[in-house]
Amino acid sequence: MTVEVPLRQKQQTTSAVPVLDRRMVAALLAITVVIGAVAGILRLVLGLGATTNLSDSYSWGIWIGFDFGLIALAGAGFTMAAVGHVLRRHEYHAAVRPAILAGLAAYVAVLLLLVLDLGRPDRFYNFMLFWNPHSPLFEVSWCILLYTGVLVLETSPFFLERLRWRWAGKVIRIVAFIMLPVAILGVTLSTLHQSTLGTLYLNMPYRLHALWYTPLLPLMFFTSAVMAGLSMGAIAYWVAGRVVHKPVQPRVIFGLARIAAVVGLFYLALKLGEVIIAGDIGLALAPTHYAALWWFELLVCVALPAALILLPGKTLQRTGIGLALIIFGVLMNRFDATMFAQILPPGASYSPSLIEWLSTAGILAAAALAWILGVRFLPIFETGEADHHATTE
Amino acid sequence: MNEVMSRRTFLKHAGVGAAVCAAGGLAVQPALASEGTSSANAWGVLVDLTRCNGCDSCALACKQANQRPEEDQIPNQLSSDSYSFVDRRVYVGDAGQEQQMPVKRQCMHCLHPACVSACTVGALTKTPDGPVVYDSSKCIGCRYCQYACPFGVPTYDWANPLGLIHKCQFCISRLDEGEQPACVAGCPTGALRFGTRNDLLAQAHSQIDSNPGRYIDQIYGESELGGTSVLYLSGVPFAAMGLPTLDSQSPSRYAEAVMRKTPVIGLTVAALASGAYWLTKRREFLAQPEVVPQEVNHDR
């Protein structure tokens, strides 16, 4: 309980921030969205060659990097739905809604990024018409589509509870009735596509560096998505509290961070153990940028945050740094797999074009803005334990 | 409604959820690329690098047959405008002498093609006759095939706002008319030979046996990635010719082994999640001391 004191102080300083600052954040995000939309439209009209620095030897860039990274972070949706709806851990109840809303915002951003990256965006629906069930991207496409539907259902009570129409109550009851199987479906679809994003790289044994390439990639991608999802769940709850200027319960953040850190230790053992057993530890000790990236991912973004979160004498600030490092590390892992840990064909090089940067920034800003507005105007942030009943049960 | 009832309805719901997952996963599974689909009479091309004089006739014939732009311009890489080209390699021998080595490159038409396994929409397929063909009408331009191919063969048409993938199709329409692939027909030196893969392998082996000084004792493509339809004979090591050193197994074997388990993984996760929910509910129920159920129900 002692930890509540610094938080309250923080809370007061937050409340002292003038309203204009929030408006300025919103305005900046909105401007980024508008610029990004222009960049995105230019890309769609002019094509990939004219607007990107992608090439045959470097065909996936920051759109795919952020896409796969964002999917892992959006694991907040399914991990917190599992904690809240399936495992019914009431102590984390307050963090469920911010996380699920963040999941929806992130998955819509993922879909937009994917459309920008497709060479034939006009045919995005072809994966529904032409099936190749042993293609990892085929499975990922279907899971993303279906899971976005699950997220719409899971977030629908937030909107319905705002409506004063007569039928809204009836719809809420219907949604509440099906919420458990929907949540289980969401957990299932997420487990499948989070792991299948790892399977995707199994088709590239000669492109992905041996420190990353292993048949265990699906398990590693799933584990790191759980780790990142729980961390995002804690951070989303924390930030949501600041958006609505209400105090957060530190034990929710500490609790989620602790689970994320324990999952992180398992992930660390998995990554390290695999490289040792496969006899690739020599690659990790060689003076290459691959080894540096690999150790950075494991030491700075898994081991260090686990220590910050788990060692005695924890504070909210220390835990927050740990959570941020975990999130950055998982994002980086997806970028490494897509770009920096790839063994490039001779002469291949890539630096993202302005249009790639602006369109990515615009989509990320749109997701952030939508989430902030949602937290501000919908019943997302609940302070106490007393309001279970307002949700799905 | 009491606790027992709600648990029963829960099980019903969980069943529906599991069925939905299973329906998605148990869809028809076509043959796996890692298992191979080629017949014994599948076509092949034997490239004898010792006979190639680097005249580029094959690459120009290829452009013409595929109606690529700038028909008379000699290509120096694979691109959406050229599905084959003659690579220029310099081989430095043991005594330090340099040797100009032209190496004809194009799609290898793998027996276990990773591009086919990877393609999101099944636009790439391996025909039983050997060619790995591409159906441009299905392609969404995700470019996963470019990452799956160990030879860097599929290329994207970057200049086109609605660009597509381009690759050698083994001149499948010419094969249908009983003709040889354009590159083979255009080769003046006999460096390219067309036939069934089995015949070509037998011929290549006897060539190596009867000319031990001329060739190194390896046929590139006989075992690489589990075999390729295009085979190479060379007098110098293949790695020096820019042909990557690859093991003899399908590059898709791990991915396909995992993908096949999709329905099992999905059903297991759904079952575990349902079980976990049931256990928590039961623990909550048992922990309640003498609660009157009606009280709970009036909440919502």
Side-chain angles (χ1 to χ4, degrees):
Chain A
M1 273 295 125
T2 46
V3 280
E4 286 226 41
V5 178
L7 181 80
R8 288 229 175 91
Q9 286 168 350
K10 202 173 243 174
Q11 197 54 49
Q12 278 162 7
T13 51
T14 320
S15 319
V17 172
V19 183
L20 190 68
D21 267 9
R22 282 199 303 179
R23 286 196 188 147
M24 264 174 65
V25 170
L28 274 177
L29 288 174
I31 291 168
T32 314
V33 173
V34 172
I35 296 172
V38 173
I41 290 166
L42 279 175
R43 173 265 169 269
L44 291 176
V45 173
L46 300 176
L48 288 173
T51 56
T52 72
N53 287 338
L54 299 169
S55 61
D56 281 330
S57 51
Y58 211 127
S59 194
W60 284 352
I62 54 167
W63 285 330
I64 294 292
F66 274 108
D67 227 6
F68 293 175
L70 209 52
I71 291 174
L73 306 192
F78 91 94
T79 48
M80 293 308 296
V83 167
H85 294 310
V86 181
L87 302 175
R88 295 172 58 80
R89 298 288 295 265
H90 300 307
E91 64 268 38
Y92 300 124
H93 189 87
V96 173
R97 285 191 167 199
I100 289 178
L101 187 67
L104 180 64
Y107 270 90
V108 173
V110 163
L111 290 173
L112 291 174
L113 281 169
L114 273 181
V115 166
L116 282 191
D117 187 76
L118 282 186
R120 288 299 302 256
D122 55 317
R123 294 181 179 173
F124 73 92
Y125 53 82
N126 266 17
F127 74 92
M128 297 184 232
L129 307 179
F130 308 110
W131 286 33
N132 184 14
H134 40 74
S135 165
L137 261 189
F138 169 79
E139 190 207 293
V140 168
S141 305
W142 268 103
C143 282
I144 290 179
L145 177 79
L146 295 175
Y147 183 57
T148 306
V150 165
L151 283 167
V152 167
L153 276 176
E154 286 182 339
T155 51
S156 63
F158 313 168
F159 299 92
L160 291 167
E161 285 168 19
R162 269 270 147 195
L163 298 175
R164 296 213 185 84
W165 300 334
R166 210 184 312 149
W167 51 263
K170 217 173 259 177
V171 180
I172 289 175
R173 272 195 292 281
I174 295 171
V175 172
F177 187 67
I178 60 166
M179 189 52 89
L180 177 67
V182 165
I184 290 175
L185 180 65
V187 170
T188 306
L189 290 169
S190 293
T191 307
L192 284 177
H193 75 275
Q194 295 283 5
S195 61
T196 302
L197 281 170
T199 314
L200 184 143
Y201 293 95
L202 293 184
N203 269 324
M204 313 176 189
Y206 300 101
R207 287 284 309 239
L208 187 60
H209 190 269
L211 283 174
W212 281 263
Y213 188 90
T214 156
L216 293 180
L217 267 178
L219 180 60
M220 288 174 177
F221 265 59
F222 174 71
T223 311
S224 53
V226 171
M227 175 174 79
L230 290 166
S231 305
M232 275 300 283
I235 294 277
Y237 168 63
W238 200 343
V239 178
R242 307 197 85 171
V243 170
V244 295
H245 289 190
K246 281 182 189 160
V248 291
Q249 309 164 48
R251 56 181 184 78
V252 171
I253 294 164
F254 286 139
L256 290 173
R258 196 170 52 238
I259 310 174
V262 171
V263 174
L265 290 178
F266 171 72
Y267 178 66
L268 182 70
L270 197 64
K271 290 272 283 186
L272 208 57
E274 192 279 328
V275 163
I276 292 168
I277 290 168
D280 289 336
I281 195 70
L283 294 172
L285 301 174
T288 60
H289 84 273
Y290 297 113
L293 284 172
W294 192 78
W295 284 113
F296 185 84
E297 264 188 41
L298 284 194
L299 294 182
V300 181
C301 301
V302 185
L304 175 63
L308 286 172
I309 290 165
L310 295 176
L311 289 182
K314 58 179 184 257
T315 62
L316 263 184
Q317 194 192 21
R318 227 180 70 184
T319 303
I321 294 171
L323 291 170
L325 282 175
I326 289 177
I327 290 166
F328 179 76
V330 174
L331 190 62
M332 195 175 135
N333 172 258
R334 303 307 195 253
F335 266 94
D336 287 345
T338 313
M339 295 164 71
F340 309 127
Q342 288 269 331
I343 296 159
L344 297 172
S349 74
Y350 165 71
S351 67
S353 72
L354 188 63
I355 285 187
E356 287 176 83
W357 279 121
L358 292 178
S359 54
T360 306
I363 289 170
L364 296 179
L369 187 60
W371 181 81
I372 290 172
L373 291 176
V375 171
R376 173 75 182 78
F377 294 108
L378 298 175
I380 303 294
F381 188 84
E382 318 283 354
T383 40
E385 299 262 302
D387 39 31
H388 300 163
H389 314 297
T391 53
T392 55
E393 286 306 309
Chain B
M1 202 195 283
N2 59 31
E3 276 296 326
V4 182
M5 258 306 279
S6 68
R7 213 180 303 151
R8 196 171 294 156
T9 45
F10 144 69
L11 285 173
K12 223 185 316 176
H13 293 162
V16 173
V20 171
C21 299
L26 293 171
V28 192
Q29 299 256 345
L32 298 179
S34 60
E35 287 172 357
T37 50
S38 288
S39 71
N41 298 322
W43 297 118
V45 167
L46 178 63
V47 185
D48 186 342
L49 292 178
T50 66
R51 293 194 186 195
C52 177
N53 65 3
C55 69
D56 288 302
S57 305
C58 53
L60 292 175
C62 172
K63 273 193 148 187
Q64 202 168 21
N66 288 295
Q67 290 148 10
R68 295 295 87 199
E70 294 168 337
E71 266 179 26
D72 47 357
Q73 197 126 7
I74 294 168
N76 60 5
Q77 60 176 2
L78 296 181
S79 74
S80 56
D81 289 344
S82 48
Y83 303 166
S84 70
F85 80 110
V86 180
D87 196 7
R88 308 288 156 170
R89 293 275 160 174
V90 178
Y91 178 69
V92 184
D94 293 336
Q97 78 282 19
E98 288 190 354
Q99 200 181 341
Q100 295 287 329
M101 300 289 298
V103 185
K104 198 239 177 196
R105 298 297 299 266
Q106 71 298 307
C107 175
M108 301 292 286
H109 298 280
C110 302
L111 302 191
H112 309 287
C115 61
V116 170
S117 188
C119 181
T120 311
V121 290
L124 290 156
T125 46
K126 173 82 176 168
T127 64
D129 287 342
V132 174
V133 294
Y134 167 69
D135 179 351
S136 64
S137 70
K138 293 180 179 174
C139 182
I140 54 174
C142 70
R143 312 188 297 289
Y144 186 17
C145 53
Q146 297 194 290
Y147 279 83
C149 176
F151 300 101
V153 165
T155 53
Y156 179 76
D157 183 5
W158 298 95
N160 185 343
L162 291 175
L164 290 164
I165 288 292
H166 290 260
K167 75 177 275 296
C168 161
Q169 307 262 62
F170 215 127
C171 284
I172 187 145
S173 51
R174 286 174 63 99
L175 297 192
D176 286 346
E177 288 160 19
E179 287 180 82
Q180 298 188 332
C183 55
V184 179
C187 178
T189 65
L192 299 177
R193 210 179 307 158
F194 174 71
T196 69
R197 183 173 182 271
N198 288 344
D199 288 350
L200 293 172
L201 268 179
Q203 290 171 27
H205 275 297
S206 68
Q207 266 176 266
I208 292 174
D209 292 343
S210 48
N211 303 283
R214 188 179 173 99
Y215 301 109
I216 58 165
D217 188 14
Q218 186 195 350
I219 302 167
Y220 191 90
E222 181 175 23
S223 66
E224 274 73 15
L225 305 177
T228 59
S229 302
V230 178
L231 305 162
Y232 284 84
L233 279 174
S234 171
V236 301
F238 290 106
M241 298 294 90
L243 290 164
T245 307
L246 306 165
D247 69 28
S248 61
Q249 285 176 292
S250 161
S252 306
R253 65 190 183 282
Y254 292 131
E256 291 188 343
V258 177
M259 291 309 296
R260 281 180 123 170
K261 296 200 180 76
T262 299
V264 179
I265 297 169
L267 286 173
T268 309
V269 172
L272 283 177
S274 308
Y277 176 80
W278 185 80
L279 278 176
T280 1
K281 264 296 214 197
R282 183 168 169 76
R283 200 180 305 140
E284 280 173 21
F285 175 62
L286 293 176
Q288 282 175 338
E290 307 276 328
V291 164
V292 186
Q294 280 78 358
E295 279 276 304
V296 183
N297 282 322
H298 285 252
D299 259 346
R300 160 89 50 203

